[in-house]
């Protein structure tokens, strides 16, 4: 089949990222390393050295010590692990959390937190969900009030939201949780490697990182657990990772993860300034070219590369697929793309009506994006929106649907 | 680029939708219907011109607020019905539309194929306008699963196709796969139709 080569623009970096060339090289250079890091012989020691090198790199990057960082299979696993320590009832377990079984989290967390919270609820923990304001920030008055409830054992609040990019004031949130005697976890999967994160200054007890969001490989993540904080593993049956996560370490993944973090350490600051400039250009350009747009999320406290828009009168999946046909990759909060009937829980939590969530598009920029990409995207999106609005029952030019109906 | 989410025919209709109602065009319809709800993510408008001497659809237009398969399925429907007697058009099912398209991803069929319902609403409107309200089939299918738009008629059809358990009914219709509230009523209907046809 003849395929015309079109410009291809990847604008879905919050979903996943391509491997950094340096990461590719680190992994391919290491393909011969097969020893089990737990083995005492030379093969094992070679692999162990690589794993520990990566651990140190990652620990340094977030201001932790290497023994506070352990490797897991994904950000989701790290998040599940943290939430599962609450209802632990093993007699011998170090976590000793039996008296404080209430979890406090937000309505805008990643499904891996929301679903494991619900799972904990079925196992007898109590789960309380915090609301957010129109920009996606936790409402401090409500937070203070809910922290005052009996038995809050754990607070879990994401640092930066994957859909709208809103960044929470984790330092304050963690301080308040500690004042009420609760442990504090933050899912920092979208934050680490994009904005500065220092576990000591934030003073969190647990923090989740994922490799593939920052140009590392899929299938590897890390969990920071502050020294002397109660912990019990989710995956048991081996002494790996100091008994905190059984299973032979994903050596190649960890090597790639370490190199990805190293590259972030070198490139992050400059790149994020560049991405913010690109995003602002994109935002201004879109606002000029396409009428009846709404920008979602916090205007200032937002990930540098994340832009979430609601486009009046269009359904997001149609826009996504028209853009895909033009080589542009974005994501949407529309229900049609999610396999359920409900549009984005994050956008609904910020107070958008269902049709604004159905008509939402998330653009997340990354290190390969250029000004030409932005120009091409605006031009293409403008044309796509024009076409989709033309066939829409919910849009008459100048009259967005939810005003006329 | 390799495999698209949808078949070539869906892609073709999605990229070049036929018979879309343009705001600039003065389409004098004889019947017009709208179904669905923007809140649920799908809304469909269908407008028809009818030759009164033969009760045949001569032309049609549509609009939708919906996903790619909503666009493609209505586009293909608009080609199917031109020249079709309204009595026949009245009976077009989502399955026939899907067949005409080749196929659609399973989970898309029930939530996005709304064209047949919009078309029926347009024909009803035509009957109304021409003083033949008696032709309107009042015995409209009743939606049992609100989430996936599955009607009692479709449950009956699934039973005729071999569904005998709630799980098989779900496999056939995708009913009850979102909120699950309809399980009780669906199970009751399932038993009722099995009784009716097979005992």
């Amino acid at each position: 089949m003849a395929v015309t080569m079109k410009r291809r623009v990847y604008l879905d970096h919050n979903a996943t990222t391509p491997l950094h060339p340096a990461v590719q090289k680190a992994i391919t250079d290491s393909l011969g390393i097969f020893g089990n890091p737990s083995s005492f012989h030379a093969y094992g020691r070679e692999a162990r050295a690589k794993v520990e090198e990566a651990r140190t790199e990652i620990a340094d990057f977030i201001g932790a010590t290497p023994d506070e960082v352990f490797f897991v299979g994904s950000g989701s696993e790290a998040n599940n692990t943290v939430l599962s320590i609450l209802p632990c009832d093993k007699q011998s377990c170090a976590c000793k959390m039996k008296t404080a079984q209430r979890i406090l989290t937000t309505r805008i967390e990643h499904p891996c937190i929301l679903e494991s919270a619900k799972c904990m609820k079925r196992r007898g923990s109590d789960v309380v969900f915090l609301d957010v304001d129109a920009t996606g920030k936790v409402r401090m008055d409500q937070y203070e009030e809910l922290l005052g409830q009996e038995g809050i054992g754990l607070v879990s609040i994401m640092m930066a939201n994957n859909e709208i990019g809103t960044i929470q004031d984790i330092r304050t949130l963690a301080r308040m949780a500690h004042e009420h005697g609760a442990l504090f976890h933050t899912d920092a999967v979208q934050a680490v490697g994009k904005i500065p994160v220092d576990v000591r200054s934030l003073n969190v007890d647990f923090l989740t990182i994922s490799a593939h969001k920052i140009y590392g490989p899929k299938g590897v993540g890390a969990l920071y657990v502050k020294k002397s904080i109660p912990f019990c593993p989710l995956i048991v049956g081996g002494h790996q990772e100091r008994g905190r996560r059984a299973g032979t370490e994903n050596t190649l993944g960890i090597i790639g993860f370490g190199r990805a973090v190293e590259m972030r350490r070198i490139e992050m600051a400059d790149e994020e300034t560049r991405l913010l400039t690109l995003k602002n250009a994109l935002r201004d350009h879109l606002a000029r070219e396409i009428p009846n747009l709404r920008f979602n999320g916090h205007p200032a406290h937002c990930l540098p590369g994340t832009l979430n828009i609601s486009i009046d009168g269009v359904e997001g999946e149609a826009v996504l697929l028209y853009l895909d046909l033009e080589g542009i990759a974005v994501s949407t909060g529309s229900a049609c793309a999610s396999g359920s009937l409900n549009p984005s829980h994050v956008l609904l939590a910020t107070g958008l009506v269902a049709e604004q969530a159905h008509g939402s598009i998330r653009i997340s920029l990354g290190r390969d994006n250029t000004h030409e990409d932005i120009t091409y995207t605006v031009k293409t999106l403008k044309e796509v929106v024009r076409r989709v609005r033309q066939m829409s029952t919910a849009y008459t030019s100048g009259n967005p649907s939810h005003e006329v109906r | 680029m390799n495999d698209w989410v949808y078949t070539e025919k869906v892609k073709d209709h999605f990229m070049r939708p036929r018979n879309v109602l343009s705001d600039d065009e003065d389409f004098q319809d004889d019947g017009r219907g709208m179904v669905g709800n923007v809140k649920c993510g799908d809304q469909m408008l269908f407008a028809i011109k009818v030759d009164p001497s033969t009760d045949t659809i001569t032309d049609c237009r549509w609009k939708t607020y919906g996903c790619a398969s909503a666009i493609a399925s209505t586009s293909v429907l608009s080609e199917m019905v031109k020249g079709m007697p309204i009595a026949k058009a009245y009976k077009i099912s989502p399955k026939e539309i899907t067949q005409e398209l080749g196929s659609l991803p399973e989970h898309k069929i029930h939530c996005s194929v709304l064209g047949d319902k919009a078309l029926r609403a347009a024909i009803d409107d035509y009957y109304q306008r021409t003083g033949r309200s008696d032709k309107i089939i009042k015995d409209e299918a009743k939606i049992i699963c609100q989430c996936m738009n599955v009607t009692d008629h479709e449950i009956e059809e699934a039973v005729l196709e071999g569904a005998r358990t709630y799980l098989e009914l779900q496999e056939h219709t995708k009913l009850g796969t979102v909120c699950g509230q309809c399980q009780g009523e669906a199970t009751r209907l399932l038993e009722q139709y099995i009784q009716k046809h097979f005992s």
Side-chain angles (χ1 to χ4, degrees), chain A residues 41 48 67 101 128 170 178 198 213 301 317 324 334 356 388 393 400 402:
Chain A
H41 47 60
R48 169 60 55 200
D67 59 351
Q101 292 243 334
V128 185
I170 292 299
H178 291 147
D198 184 286
K213 307 288 190 193
H301 302 160
E317 194 226 51
D324 183 45
S334 164
Q356 289 171 318
V388 176
T393 50
H402 34 95

Short mmCIF file of all heavy atoms in Angstrom, two decimals, chain A residues 41 48 67 101 128 170 178 198 213 301 317 324 334 356 388 393 400 402:
data_model
loop_
_atom_site.label_atom_id
_atom_site.label_comp_id
_atom_site.label_asym_id
_atom_site.label_seq_id
_atom_site.Cartn_x
_atom_site.Cartn_y
_atom_site.Cartn_z
N HIS A 41 28.14 -14.47 42.28
CA HIS A 41 29.26 -14.61 41.35
C HIS A 41 29.44 -13.37 40.47
O HIS A 41 28.66 -12.41 40.56
CB HIS A 41 29.10 -15.87 40.50
CG HIS A 41 27.73 -16.04 39.92
ND1 HIS A 41 27.19 -15.12 39.07
CD2 HIS A 41 26.81 -17.02 40.11
CE1 HIS A 41 25.98 -15.53 38.72
NE2 HIS A 41 25.72 -16.67 39.35
N ARG A 48 24.42 -6.38 39.50
CA ARG A 48 24.16 -5.65 40.74
C ARG A 48 24.77 -4.25 40.68
O ARG A 48 24.13 -3.26 41.06
CB ARG A 48 24.72 -6.45 41.93
CG ARG A 48 24.79 -5.74 43.28
CD ARG A 48 23.44 -5.28 43.79
NE ARG A 48 22.47 -6.36 43.87
CZ ARG A 48 21.14 -6.18 43.91
NH1 ARG A 48 20.63 -4.96 43.89
NH2 ARG A 48 20.34 -7.21 43.95
N ASP A 67 19.29 3.85 49.74
CA ASP A 67 18.51 2.81 50.44
C ASP A 67 17.05 3.22 50.65
O ASP A 67 16.26 2.47 51.20
CB ASP A 67 19.17 2.43 51.77
CG ASP A 67 19.32 3.62 52.70
OD1 ASP A 67 19.08 4.76 52.24
OD2 ASP A 67 19.67 3.42 53.87
N GLN A 101 -6.88 3.56 59.67
CA GLN A 101 -7.24 2.86 58.44
C GLN A 101 -7.91 3.75 57.42
O GLN A 101 -8.48 3.27 56.45
CB GLN A 101 -8.17 1.71 58.79
CG GLN A 101 -7.47 0.63 59.58
CD GLN A 101 -7.44 -0.67 58.83
OE1 GLN A 101 -8.29 -0.94 58.00
NE2 GLN A 101 -6.44 -1.47 59.09
N VAL A 128 -11.64 8.65 51.84
CA VAL A 128 -12.29 9.95 51.72
C VAL A 128 -11.68 10.68 50.53
O VAL A 128 -10.45 10.72 50.39
CB VAL A 128 -12.09 10.78 53.01
CG1 VAL A 128 -12.87 12.09 52.92
CG2 VAL A 128 -12.51 9.99 54.23
N ILE A 170 2.75 20.40 47.30
CA ILE A 170 2.95 19.17 48.06
C ILE A 170 3.60 19.44 49.42
O ILE A 170 3.25 18.82 50.42
CB ILE A 170 3.79 18.17 47.23
CG1 ILE A 170 2.99 17.68 46.02
CG2 ILE A 170 4.23 16.97 48.08
CD1 ILE A 170 1.70 16.95 46.33
N HIS A 178 1.21 15.63 58.22
CA HIS A 178 2.06 15.22 59.35
C HIS A 178 1.57 15.83 60.66
O HIS A 178 1.61 15.18 61.70
CB HIS A 178 3.51 15.61 59.08
CG HIS A 178 4.12 14.80 57.97
ND1 HIS A 178 5.07 15.30 57.10
CD2 HIS A 178 3.90 13.52 57.59
CE1 HIS A 178 5.42 14.35 56.23
NE2 HIS A 178 4.71 13.26 56.51
N ASP A 198 12.36 17.48 45.28
CA ASP A 198 13.32 17.12 46.31
C ASP A 198 12.55 16.58 47.51
O ASP A 198 11.81 17.31 48.16
CB ASP A 198 14.14 18.36 46.71
CG ASP A 198 15.21 18.00 47.72
OD1 ASP A 198 14.87 17.76 48.91
OD2 ASP A 198 16.40 17.92 47.34
N LYS A 213 7.83 7.91 31.45
CA LYS A 213 7.32 9.28 31.25
C LYS A 213 8.48 10.25 31.02
O LYS A 213 8.26 11.40 30.67
CB LYS A 213 6.52 9.75 32.46
CG LYS A 213 5.40 8.82 32.90
CD LYS A 213 4.22 8.83 31.96
CE LYS A 213 3.05 8.08 32.60
NZ LYS A 213 1.99 7.79 31.62
N HIS A 301 0.44 27.27 37.87
CA HIS A 301 0.97 26.07 38.50
C HIS A 301 0.63 24.85 37.64
O HIS A 301 -0.26 24.06 37.96
CB HIS A 301 0.41 25.89 39.91
CG HIS A 301 0.68 27.06 40.79
ND1 HIS A 301 -0.02 27.34 41.93
CD2 HIS A 301 1.60 28.07 40.68
CE1 HIS A 301 0.44 28.44 42.48
NE2 HIS A 301 1.42 28.90 41.74
N GLU A 317 -12.92 12.35 20.47
CA GLU A 317 -12.36 11.21 19.77
C GLU A 317 -12.31 11.46 18.26
O GLU A 317 -11.36 11.07 17.58
CB GLU A 317 -13.14 9.93 20.06
CG GLU A 317 -12.40 8.69 19.61
CD GLU A 317 -13.26 7.72 18.86
OE1 GLU A 317 -13.95 8.13 17.89
OE2 GLU A 317 -13.27 6.55 19.21
N ASP A 324 -4.92 12.33 13.95
CA ASP A 324 -4.09 11.15 13.73
C ASP A 324 -3.88 10.92 12.24
O ASP A 324 -2.78 10.57 11.80
CB ASP A 324 -4.78 9.94 14.39
CG ASP A 324 -3.96 8.67 14.26
OD1 ASP A 324 -2.74 8.72 14.49
OD2 ASP A 324 -4.54 7.62 13.92
N SER A 334 -12.61 12.54 26.23
CA SER A 334 -13.93 12.07 25.82
C SER A 334 -14.16 10.63 26.26
O SER A 334 -13.23 9.83 26.29
CB SER A 334 -14.04 12.15 24.30
OG SER A 334 -15.14 11.39 23.87
N GLN A 356 -18.14 19.56 27.78
CA GLN A 356 -16.82 20.20 27.73
C GLN A 356 -15.72 19.15 27.92
O GLN A 356 -14.63 19.29 27.39
CB GLN A 356 -16.71 21.27 28.82
CG GLN A 356 -17.57 22.49 28.53
CD GLN A 356 -17.61 23.44 29.71
OE1 GLN A 356 -17.74 23.03 30.87
NE2 GLN A 356 -17.52 24.73 29.43
N VAL A 388 -15.28 19.47 11.90
CA VAL A 388 -16.11 18.75 12.87
C VAL A 388 -17.26 19.63 13.33
O VAL A 388 -18.39 19.16 13.49
CB VAL A 388 -15.25 18.26 14.06
CG1 VAL A 388 -16.14 17.60 15.11
CG2 VAL A 388 -14.19 17.28 13.58
N THR A 393 -24.13 18.78 15.57
CA THR A 393 -25.47 19.25 15.97
C THR A 393 -25.35 20.23 17.13
O THR A 393 -26.31 20.86 17.51
CB THR A 393 -26.31 18.06 16.47
OG1 THR A 393 -25.55 17.35 17.44
CG2 THR A 393 -26.71 17.15 15.34
N PRO A 400 -21.86 28.51 20.90
CA PRO A 400 -21.54 27.22 21.48
C PRO A 400 -22.80 26.55 22.05
O PRO A 400 -23.68 27.22 22.58
CB PRO A 400 -20.53 27.54 22.58
CG PRO A 400 -20.56 29.01 22.75
CD PRO A 400 -21.13 29.60 21.51
N HIS A 402 -23.84 24.74 24.60
CA HIS A 402 -24.45 24.79 25.93
C HIS A 402 -24.96 26.18 26.25
O HIS A 402 -25.39 26.43 27.37
CB HIS A 402 -23.50 24.26 27.00
CG HIS A 402 -22.08 24.54 26.74
ND1 HIS A 402 -21.44 25.61 27.25
CD2 HIS A 402 -21.21 23.88 25.94
CE1 HIS A 402 -20.19 25.60 26.80
NE2 HIS A 402 -20.03 24.57 26.01
#
